[in-house]
Amino acid sequence: MESEIDAIFRQFIERVDRDTVAEMAERVLIDKAPHGGGIFVFTDYPGGLIGFTLRKLLVDGDYCCDLSDIDELVDRLIDYYGFAQDWVPPLLLVREVLALTVHRRRIIEQLQRDLGKSVDLAPIFDRAAATTIQHTEDAFLLDDERVGVILDELKSTGINEGT
């Protein structure tokens, strides 16, 4: 006799193809974006964005399953569809880069106003990030002394217009 997980797995793959899962992953992220979500919200989530999406499809769909079995089912589905644990649809990567570019520009503009600078501070950040951090969360783990050195460099760059 087929187990409950096997039955749900079979039902799911008969109804949902890989492209649909990818499209749903895009939809999940687009829906979360206005509320502060981004690709990296899912970094530590079991199975990443795809794992989150599959769980959502299973819970929101008519697939009855003991929630204690959902992780096993999601892992099987990720393997079946051939997704890497950290896979993100390329269209979402483009959207994320665009969003981060705009966000970065606004932050730098605010810092330029706060420091009274009229020169582009972005190259200093690029250089500091390249020599200091490997992962986004590393930026928040830098000690105050290292961040202070970067801030001093920003303050001494170009023409000081006001502060």
Side-chain angles (χ1 to χ4, degrees):
M1 181 169 170
E2 187 175 48
S3 73
E4 180 186 27
I5 291 177
D6 291 336
I8 295 170
F9 177 83
R10 185 182 41 73
Q11 264 185 323
F12 192 89
I13 64 173
E14 287 173 359
R15 294 180 187 171
V16 181
D17 64 10
R18 187 179 199 280
D19 290 341
T20 301
V21 174
E23 289 169 12
M24 287 305 299
E26 289 184 47
R27 184 83 266 146
V28 163
L29 193 59
I30 289 168
D31 290 346
K32 285 191 133 335
H35 309 289
I39 292 170
F40 301 106
V41 168
F42 298 97
T43 302
D44 294 327
Y45 199 90
L49 175 61
I50 294 300
F52 181 90
T53 301
L54 288 167
R55 280 176 185 78
K56 182 169 178 36
L57 288 169
L58 288 164
V59 171
D60 292 352
D62 59 351
Y63 305 98
C64 297
C65 165
D66 183 345
L67 291 180
S68 64
D69 295 331
I70 202 163
D71 288 338
E72 178 185 341
L73 184 54
V74 166
D75 289 343
R76 284 181 60 187
L77 289 167
I78 288 171
D79 288 342
Y80 172 80
Y81 290 119
F83 289 113
Q85 292 284 332
D86 60 351
W87 184 82
V88 177
L91 291 175
L92 285 181
L93 292 173
V94 170
R95 285 186 175 97
E96 187 80 9
V97 170
L98 291 171
L100 290 172
T101 300
V102 169
H103 186 66
R104 178 180 191 232
R105 183 176 57 236
R106 288 181 181 157
I107 292 170
I108 289 173
E109 287 169 355
Q110 176 66 46
L111 189 55
Q112 285 171 314
R113 282 191 300 276
D114 291 352
L115 296 176
K117 299 294 179 179
S118 62
V119 297
D120 184 11
L121 301 176
I124 296 170
F125 286 105
D126 291 337
R127 186 174 57 256
T131 61
T132 308
I133 64 174
Q134 296 297 315
H135 306 283
T136 52
E137 60 270 13
D138 293 348
F140 296 97
L141 299 175
L142 289 174
D143 60 51
D144 289 347
E145 184 177 334
R146 178 66 186 126
V147 175
V149 168
I150 296 168
L151 181 57
D152 288 344
E153 184 179 355
L154 292 167
K155 287 178 179 178
S156 68
T157 298
I159 301 168
N160 189 331
E161 295 180 339
T163 55

